């Protein structure tokens, strides 16, 4: 990312450009994008200056990063960037990093934004990953099938999976009691059928002692410390039922120096790790799985790595 002759001035403008982008995407969930762009010309001018809108006469063409397949996906993307923006404001205000475990330092708005963003991953799991993994769709279509959501946060991903697989029981675990309180609130607003099939537990994955019970386990790798991530994998492998799958969310390697440095700082502040997709895949491969597969999500976005051991 080139910052030009005056990097500070460019960075001053960057949050406003991001705000223009997020506001436009959010408005376009319920209103045609062309109408949204026309309704706020000053905001649209910011998008044009940032290269997110190209003008050809009276025609405005959005950059692909402004266009999403559907409203829920767009909303999840907005929530993820809002979470990042709120965390950046906390860092700028001098909120100390990791004083009580990373995510525990974040306010409820950040936790809700970050958690709700994971709904997009849940939809990708259900629509693209599960059907592509041998036998998994059939298993999750059976009464009594079980899914484990590690680091469930506000339970957005757990709720999506319970909706998509109406015969599955979903267990969401998290180490933060406060976030589980937020999850209970989110769950209370879901349909009764979903609410009855999602169980929330205050549990560290390192204390998971169940064996051979989960057909699918989800692990959001970037949110765990390196130590916790290394410890989690063996416990998750033993918790999988025969022919069960572990799916791990990972971040792809970033070539841009600024984005790479920001990702590293963010991981440190939130108690996460700097593993990218390659390193996570190597970690899983070292445990001798019978199969490992990768599933990109959106351009530049998370890569889901799936593995099974029997």
């Amino acid at each position: 990312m080139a910052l030009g002759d005056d990097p500070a001035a460019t960075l001053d403008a960057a949050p406003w450009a991001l705000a223009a982008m997020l506001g436009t995407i959010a408005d376009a969930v319920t209103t045609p994008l062309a109408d949204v762009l026309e309704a706020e010309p000053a905001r649209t001018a910011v998008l044009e200056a940032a290269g997110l809108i190209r003008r050809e006469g009276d025609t405005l063409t959005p950059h692909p990063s402004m266009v999403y397949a559907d409203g829920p996906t767009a909303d999840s993307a907005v929530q993820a960037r809002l979470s990042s923006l709120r965390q950046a404001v906390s860092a700028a205000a001098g909120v100390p990093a990791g004083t009580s475990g990373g995510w525990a330092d974040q306010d409820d708005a950040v936790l809700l934004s970050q958690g709700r963003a994971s709904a997009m991953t849940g939809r990708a799991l259900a629509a693209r990953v599960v059907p592509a993994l041998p036998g998994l769709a059939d298993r999750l279509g059976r009464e009594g099938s079980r899914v484990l959501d590690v680091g469930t946060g506000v339970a957005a991903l757990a709720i999506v999976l319970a909706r998509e697989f109406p015969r599955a029981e979903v267990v969401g675990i998290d180490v933060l009691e406060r976030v589980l309180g937020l999850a209970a609130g989110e769950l209370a607003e879901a349909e009764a059928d979903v609410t009855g099939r999602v169980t929330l537990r205050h549990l560290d994955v390192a204390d998971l002692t169940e064996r051979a019970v989960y057909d699918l386990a989800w692990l959001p790798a970037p949110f765990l410390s390196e130590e916790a991530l290394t410890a989690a994998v063996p416990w998750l492998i033993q918790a999988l039922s025969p022919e069960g799958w572990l799916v791990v969310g990972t971040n792809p390697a970033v070539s841009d120096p600024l984005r790479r440095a920001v990702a590293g700082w963010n991981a440190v502040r939130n108690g996460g790790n700097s593993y990218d997709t390659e390193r996570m895949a190597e970690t899983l491969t070292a445990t001798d799985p019978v199969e490992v597969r990768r599933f990109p999500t959106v351009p530049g976005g998370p890569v889901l790595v799936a593995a099974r051991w029997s």
Side-chain angles (χ1 to χ4, degrees):
M1 176 180 176
L3 296 180
D5 296 332
D6 189 346
T10 301
L11 291 174
D12 282 341
W16 290 95
L18 181 58
M21 174 178 147
L22 297 184
T24 300
I25 293 172
D27 290 347
V29 170
T30 56
T31 305
L33 180 57
D35 294 343
V36 171
L37 295 173
E38 184 178 351
E40 290 206 38
R43 186 174 70 180
T44 299
V46 174
L47 298 176
E48 188 177 355
L52 292 166
I53 296 292
R54 186 177 72 252
R55 184 183 297 273
E56 296 179 355
D58 293 331
T59 302
L60 299 177
T61 303
H63 187 273
S65 62
M66 293 280 293
V67 180
Y68 290 87
D70 51 50
T73 302
D75 183 64
S76 292
V78 168
Q79 293 295 328
R81 287 190 166 99
L82 280 175
S83 174
S84 180
L85 189 57
R86 288 179 172 125
Q87 292 174 63
V89 170
S90 294
V95 176
T99 55
S100 55
W103 286 103
D105 297 329
Q106 304 295 342
D107 62 27
D108 287 358
V110 171
L111 294 174
L112 285 166
S113 292
Q114 186 67 47
R116 288 167 179 166
S118 68
M120 177 168 57
T121 304
R123 287 188 289 273
L125 270 171
R128 296 182 52 209
V129 179
V130 169
L133 297 177
L136 186 55
D138 288 340
R139 295 172 70 88
L140 293 180
R142 299 173 191 164
E143 204 70 43
S145 56
R146 302 188 75 196
V147 176
L148 178 65
D149 177 19
V150 177
T152 193
V154 302
L157 183 141
I159 289 170
V160 168
L161 293 182
R163 283 182 181 138
E164 295 295 328
F165 303 107
R167 294 185 176 179
E169 304 288 331
V170 182
V171 176
I173 65 173
D174 208 291
V175 296
L176 297 180
E177 286 191 82
R178 179 164 67 94
V179 80
L180 288 172
L182 296 174
E186 298 287 284
L187 192 57
E189 297 182 6
E191 312 89 288
D193 174 60
V194 168
T195 302
R197 290 183 294 105
V198 176
T199 302
L200 303 176
R201 295 182 186 171
H202 182 220
L203 184 69
D204 190 316
V205 67
D207 296 323
L208 186 70
T209 57
E210 294 166 295
R211 292 178 178 270
V213 295
Y214 293 105
D215 301 291
L216 169 65
W218 163 253
L219 178 66
F223 297 98
L224 279 71
S225 68
E226 185 169 333
E227 180 182 4
L229 182 62
T230 302
V233 172
W235 292 109
L236 289 169
I237 293 173
Q238 77 168 17
L240 291 173
S241 60
E243 302 297 324
W245 287 86
L246 171 63
V247 181
V248 183
T250 71
N251 291 326
V254 178
S255 59
D256 176 74
L258 177 59
R259 290 175 57 205
R260 187 167 60 247
V262 167
W265 185 29
N266 193 37
V268 168
R269 283 186 59 83
N270 288 328
N273 66 82
S274 58
Y275 279 34
D276 60 18
T277 301
E278 289 300 324
R279 188 172 179 187
M280 191 68 237
E282 289 171 2
T283 299
L284 294 177
T285 301
T287 62
D288 295 322
V290 298
E291 189 172 3
V292 176
R293 298 191 182 193
R294 303 184 192 196
F295 300 86
T297 53
V298 296
V303 176
L304 310 186
V305 181
R308 66 182 178 94
W309 282 264
S310 62

